[in-house]
Amino acid sequence: MAFMLAGSPVSQLDEKKLVSCVSDVTAAICGIKFMPGSLVEGDAWIAACLPIKGGVPITIALLSDESCSRALAAGMLQMEPHDLDRLLIEDTLREILNMVAGQVKTALNLDQALGLPTIVAPAELNNRLANGSRRIGLASGPLSLMLALAPGP
């Protein structure tokens, strides 16, 4: 289920394009291709958030469960999932989000600077994105990832 951002340019991008923005990045750097899937249920294990400030401010976030976070980091860093610590996993998710945000920015033809991606508590992010957000579920086999977009920084 996707929530539309009335009057926001993010609503111009269909779900297929948004999934492609994520999957193109993860396939290239982690070897994991995502397809549309269910939203991450309950509280995600980790969440990364990035603002795009400027004339059309947007917040973009990735939320992931532990197994997906570990798989993405393992693929990107060429390490075994059990050898990864939380900091390496967080760094990976921030880097992936930075690249995904660049893809979204390009797709929207925005001439605005990307902010810095940060790790936030999933509950805090859910509160920040509660009003007017759009959430897209992605899956790769048993792996679950969610892309969230909202108006404002």
Side-chain angles (χ1 to χ4, degrees):
M1 178 178 185
F3 300 93
M4 297 307 284
L5 301 170
S8 170
V10 175
S11 63
Q12 297 170 12
L13 299 178
D14 64 12
E15 184 173 312
K16 183 178 179 182
K17 179 60 180 172
L18 290 169
V19 169
S20 177
C21 286
V22 175
S23 191
D24 290 351
V25 168
T26 60
I29 66 168
C30 305
I32 300 172
K33 183 170 177 58
F34 284 92
M35 305 301 285
S38 300
L39 294 177
V40 175
E41 295 297 325
D43 282 337
W45 184 67
I46 191 169
C49 181
L50 181 149
I52 300 176
K53 297 179 181 179
V56 183
I58 299 169
T59 296
I60 301 176
L62 284 176
L63 295 88
S64 178
D65 63 14
E66 183 174 1
S67 62
C68 184
S69 300
R70 284 188 178 281
L72 291 169
M76 183 174 168
L77 301 172
Q78 299 296 296
M79 295 175 67
E80 292 297 321
H82 61 272
D83 290 336
L84 297 163
D85 64 23
R86 178 75 182 219
L87 291 177
L88 286 172
I89 293 168
E90 289 177 358
D91 285 346
T92 299
L93 196 61
R94 281 193 297 263
E95 184 60 31
I96 291 169
L97 176 58
N98 195 48
M99 289 184 259
V100 168
Q103 295 286 322
V104 171
K105 182 181 127 171
T106 298
L108 291 172
N109 198 29
L110 294 177
D111 186 20
Q112 298 172 191
L114 296 177
L116 294 175
T118 58
I119 299 298
V120 297
E124 176 189 336
L125 182 63
N126 283 331
N127 289 337
R128 287 170 58 181
L129 299 177
N131 295 321
S133 68
R134 182 173 184 191
R135 298 166 192 232
I136 308 292
L138 300 103
S140 180
L143 303 179
S144 298
L145 186 64
M146 183 169 60
L147 174 67
L149 304 113

